[in-house]
Amino acid sequence: MPEREYTDIIPLLKHLCIAMQPFANSRNIKLDFNIAEKEIRINYPEKDILTGFTKLICAIIDYMPDDNTLYITTELIEENNSRH
């Protein structure tokens, strides 16, 4: 049985936001990445996480009016909706 792959999404999102700066800047949109957690590990392959978040952020930027800021924050929320 293959071992589970746990990926820390914090550095992935941070670097994704940096890589997407030119795309956002072309629309005068600022990408603002805030870290509320030091580490968030999920059981999902890294390449699938990057693909999904890239598509989501691109769709949000395409939908937003120019000259705005997109705030991306990482925060762990427990099942009972309480913050970690």
Side-chain angles (χ1 to χ4, degrees):
M1 178 178 272
E3 193 173 314
R4 289 183 170 188
E5 181 180 351
Y6 286 91
T7 304
D8 183 5
I9 65 169
I10 302 296
L12 289 180
L13 288 174
K14 179 180 178 183
H15 293 294
L16 179 62
C17 286
I18 291 168
M20 295 188 75
Q21 288 292 337
F23 174 64
N25 289 340
S26 71
R27 297 272 313 277
N28 293 321
I29 293 174
K30 179 183 174 194
L31 276 178
D32 186 5
F33 182 68
N34 298 303
I35 301 171
E37 302 288 335
K38 290 183 180 182
E39 179 179 84
I40 298 177
R41 292 195 169 273
I42 59 173
N43 181 17
Y44 215 75
E46 183 176 312
K47 66 180 177 77
D48 294 340
I49 294 168
L50 281 174
T51 301
F53 277 117
T54 300
K55 288 179 182 179
L56 177 62
I57 292 170
C58 284
I60 292 169
I61 290 171
D62 282 341
Y63 180 77
M64 290 178 70
D66 292 353
D67 302 314
N68 277 286
T69 301
L70 174 57
Y71 297 96
I72 299 174
T73 303
T74 58
E75 188 171 355
L76 193 58
I77 299 177
E78 301 293 330
E79 286 185 31
N80 62 0
N81 291 329
S82 65
R83 288 178 162 62
H84 185 262

